[in-house]
């Protein structure tokens, strides 16, 4: 009699990866986002892409051509280069600000849900108060309040490193935007993490860890936090589009990226002002921006369906 053969089971993450691979919309979106990242971060390095801030007053508002595939703007600057550089800034704002919000919201929600009691109530009432305040106004006030220290930091770095202002200023000019959006965009994640923590801390393996005498920090970050990874990953992919939209809104009203640098938001604003004369100034950055937001949303939906075991149909 031959011994019975047992089929080795799949792990949760392997099943999630297989479900994600079967989601065509999510995979197409992932490939598109990778191509967009390559286009915005690598293509501008190549010599075939013009400097986005170089003006050519003898070539103002030129139509699409081999030399300028997207045409030129009102100052003769290559629109393709500006769209690619603008995408780099918009993607950086979305990713960095989301990372800041992720760290704050994850730690805040973990502590609130794990401690519980009056501390939990006080921390959540603080979140409710911040939710009641207008987000855009808070971002504007916070961004303007830390703009002066960031400017002093820029002067300090230039004076002590010898780097040029053209190199340092564009990067540090975005720091207030990163901090402002990220420091105020963690509220939803904190609520989600707190709810998940309340459920997980009542499970048997957490009770077993407590009975073994493990410390609170080890239980919190070794046994509870890793089980929130799926929720955090899904929230991150869905939060990046919202933060990019916030940055575009601030840039549209003139409070985001400062000239001569550009993001997709500033390019859309410039295109909207001249859409009747040169519609391509609005069409191309809007197209890149909308397709990126759609891809991020499709990818977030695919990750949510893949990580949720209830979505498995086999």
């Amino acid at each position: 009699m031959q011994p019975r053969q047992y089929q080795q089971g799949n792990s949760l993450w392997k099943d999630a990866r297989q479900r994600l691979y079967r989601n065509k919309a999510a995979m197409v979106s992932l490939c598109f986002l990778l191509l967009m990242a390559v286009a915005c971060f690598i293509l501008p390095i190549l010599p075939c892409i013009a400097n986005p801030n170089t003006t050519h007053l003898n070539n103002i508002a030129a139509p699409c051509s081999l030399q300028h595939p997207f045409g030129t703007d009102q100052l003769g600057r290559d629109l393709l280069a500006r769209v690619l550089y603008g995408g780099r800034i918009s993607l950086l704002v979305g990713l960095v600000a989301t990372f800041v919000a992720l760290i704050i919201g994850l730690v805040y929600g973990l502590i609130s849900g794990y401690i519980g009691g009056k501390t939990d109530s006080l921390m959540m009432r603080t979140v409710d108060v911040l939710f009641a305040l207008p987000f855009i106004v808070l971002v504007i006030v916070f961004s303007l309040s830390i703009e002066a220290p960031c400017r002093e930091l820029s002067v300090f770095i230039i004076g002590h490193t010898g780097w040029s202002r053209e190199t340092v200023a564009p990067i540090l000019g975005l720091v207030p935007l990163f901090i402002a959006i990220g420091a105020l965009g963690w509220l939803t994640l904190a609520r989600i993490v707190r709810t998940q923590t309340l459920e997980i801390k009542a499970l048997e393996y957490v009770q077993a860890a407590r009975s073994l005498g493990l410390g609170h920090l080890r239980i919190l970050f070794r046994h509870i936090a890793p089980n929130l990874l799926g929720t955090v990953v899904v929230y991150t992919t869905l939060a990046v589009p919202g933060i990019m939209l916030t940055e575009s809104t601030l840039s549209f009203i003139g409070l985001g990226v400062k000239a001569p640098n550009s993001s997709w938001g500033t390019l859309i604003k410039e295109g909207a002002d001249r859409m009747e004369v040169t519609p391509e100034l609005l069409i191309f950055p809007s197209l890149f921006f909308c397709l990126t937001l759609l891809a991020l949303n499709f990818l977030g939906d695919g990750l949510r369906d893949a990580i949720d075991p209830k979505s498995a149909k086999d």
Side-chain angles (χ1 to χ4, degrees):
M1 183 175 178
Q2 294 181 353
R4 181 177 298 178
Q5 302 265 343
Y6 291 96
Q7 183 179 3
Q8 186 178 4
N10 294 332
S11 66
L12 173 63
W13 292 108
K14 186 175 181 179
D15 288 337
R17 187 167 60 250
Q18 291 175 353
R19 286 194 292 269
L20 181 63
Y21 289 159
R22 291 195 295 265
N23 191 323
K24 295 181 180 179
M27 294 307 299
V28 170
S29 299
L30 179 60
C31 294
F32 175 81
L33 291 173
L34 291 176
L35 290 175
M36 186 62 67
V38 170
C40 293
F41 289 94
I42 297 180
L43 282 184
I45 302 176
L46 302 178
C48 59
I49 302 298
N51 190 315
N53 298 327
T54 302
T55 60
H56 300 280
L57 299 181
N58 57 347
N59 198 23
I60 293 176
C64 301
S65 61
L66 291 177
Q67 185 179 3
H68 303 288
F70 289 178
T72 61
D73 63 2
Q74 69 279 5
L75 296 177
R77 296 172 294 191
D78 185 74
L79 185 58
L80 173 61
R82 290 183 64 77
V83 169
L84 294 179
Y85 275 89
R88 176 187 294 183
I89 291 178
S90 294
L91 291 173
L92 276 177
V93 170
L95 294 174
V96 175
T98 301
F99 180 76
V100 174
L102 190 66
I103 297 300
I104 299 175
L106 182 61
V107 174
Y108 194 93
L110 278 171
I111 294 174
S112 176
Y114 185 77
I115 295 177
K118 294 182 179 180
T119 303
D120 178 36
S121 299
L122 177 62
M123 294 177 73
M124 285 299 104
R125 297 299 76 78
T126 304
V127 171
D128 293 338
V129 170
L130 293 176
F131 255 121
L133 300 176
F135 178 73
I136 294 294
V137 175
L138 285 178
V139 170
I140 293 172
V141 173
F142 192 77
S143 178
L144 292 177
S145 64
I146 62 177
E147 187 173 354
C150 288
R151 193 182 303 114
E152 295 177 0
L153 177 62
S154 176
V155 174
F156 176 82
I157 292 176
I158 293 172
H160 288 75
T161 62
W163 293 346
S164 64
R165 181 176 296 273
E166 290 77 11
T167 303
V168 176
I171 299 175
L172 291 182
L174 297 174
V175 172
L177 203 60
F178 291 155
I179 298 176
I181 297 177
L184 298 172
W186 54 270
L187 304 176
T188 301
L189 180 62
R191 280 184 168 181
I192 295 173
V193 171
R194 177 251 183 187
T195 303
Q196 296 288 326
T197 304
L198 287 174
E199 296 178 1
I200 293 174
K201 76 174 185 178
L203 297 178
E204 289 80 1
Y205 68 88
V206 177
Q207 300 298 330
R210 287 178 177 172
S211 65
L212 291 173
L214 299 182
H216 294 299
L217 289 178
R218 186 172 182 181
I219 295 175
L220 199 59
F221 293 100
R222 183 76 180 270
H223 297 279
I224 296 180
N227 290 281
L228 299 173
L229 183 60
T231 302
V232 169
V233 168
V234 172
Y235 174 82
T236 301
T237 58
L238 296 176
V240 172
I243 289 180
M244 289 178 61
L245 196 59
T246 301
E247 180 275 326
S248 297
T249 302
L250 294 174
S251 297
F252 190 87
I253 62 178
L255 295 172
V257 180
K258 300 295 186 294
N261 301 303
S262 63
S263 68
W264 281 336
T266 57
L267 292 175
I268 291 172
K269 178 183 182 302
E270 294 175 0
D273 294 337
R274 298 170 177 83
M275 59 182 299
E276 296 181 357
V277 181
T278 51
E280 61 271 13
L281 294 183
L282 176 63
I283 292 174
F284 288 117
S286 300
L287 184 63
F288 274 63
F289 183 63
C290 292
L291 290 177
T292 302
L293 293 186
L294 283 175
L296 285 168
N297 279 286
F298 279 127
L299 180 60
D301 291 340
L303 285 172
R304 180 188 59 200
D305 296 338
I307 293 175
D308 184 9
K310 296 178 182 179
S311 64
K313 298 180 180 180
D314 44 29

